[in-house]
């Protein structure tokens, strides 16, 4: 019985991490649950989990709903998912350091596109803060996911 519970938790960790990070939204530390984008990116592109893409798409939509951005993060996720299909040029699963550079490009593109329509000094500072905070948490969260999942 104990082995079944542990095995279930190993398999459920990617799903639960997205749910928990999205739910723990706080305006300064995790606005609209944006930290959930880390396990979404990692479990979709770096270490793909079977049947995770529809779940990731749903939570990108929920992040959009909380952010008030219609379908921005959902569209960006779909665009990067389509780009990932061209694995003849690059293979994200083989990149070292949990593909943090690719994640930084993904996040930078998203945050800059959100900043451009109403660029203000406060908006620029918030964008810089979000970029630094999310990329700083990428390695610890992905290392935890790597060690806890099978």
């Amino acid at each position: 019985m104990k082995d079944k519970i542990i095995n279930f938790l190993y398999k459920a960790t990617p799903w639960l991490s997205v749910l928990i990070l999205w739910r723990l939204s706080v305006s300064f530390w995790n606005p609209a649950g944006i930290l959930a984008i880390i396990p979404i990116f990692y479990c979709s592109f770096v270490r793909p989990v079977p049947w995770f893409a529809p779940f990731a798409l749903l939570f990108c939509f929920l992040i959009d709903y909380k952010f008030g951005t219609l379908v921005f993060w959902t569209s960006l996720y779909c665009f990067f998912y389509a780009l990932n299909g061209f694995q003849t040029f690059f293979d994200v699963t083989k990149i070292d350091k949990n593909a943090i550079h690719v994640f930084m490009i993904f996040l930078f593109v998203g945050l800059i596109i959100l900043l451009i329509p109403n660029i203000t000094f406060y908006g620029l500072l918030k964008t810089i803060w979000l970029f630094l905070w999310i990329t700083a948490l990428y390695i610890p969260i992905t290392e935890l996911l790597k060690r806890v999942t099978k």
Side-chain angles (χ1 to χ4, degrees), residues 34 60-61 63-65 67-79 106-115:
I34 191 69
C60 284
F61 179 75
I63 290 170
D64 282 327
Y65 178 74
F67 249 121
T69 54
L70 290 175
V71 290
F72 176 75
W73 290 106
T74 308
S75 301
L76 190 65
Y77 173 80
C78 289
F79 176 71
F106 171 76
L107 187 65
F108 181 76
V109 167
L111 291 175
I112 290 300
I113 291 173
L114 285 176
L115 176 68

Side-chain angles (χ1 to χ4, degrees), residues 30 50 131 135 143 146:
N30 188 13
F131 182 76
T135 54
E143 283 297 321
K146 187 189 296 184

Side-chain angles (χ1 to χ4, degrees), residues 112-133:
I112 290 300
I113 291 173
L114 285 176
L115 176 68
I116 289 174
N118 54 353
I119 190 164
T120 62
F121 183 69
Y122 175 72
L124 181 65
L125 288 178
K126 189 171 183 176
T127 300
I128 292 170
W129 160 250
L130 280 176
F131 182 76
L132 293 175
W133 177 243

Side-chain angles (χ1 to χ4, degrees), residues 88-106:
T88 54
F89 298 115
F90 57 91
D91 190 5
V92 179
T93 60
K94 306 261 190 268
I95 298 176
D96 61 341
K97 297 181 184 171
N98 298 337
I100 189 167
H101 299 97
V102 179
F103 177 74
M104 288 172 74
I105 292 169
F106 171 76

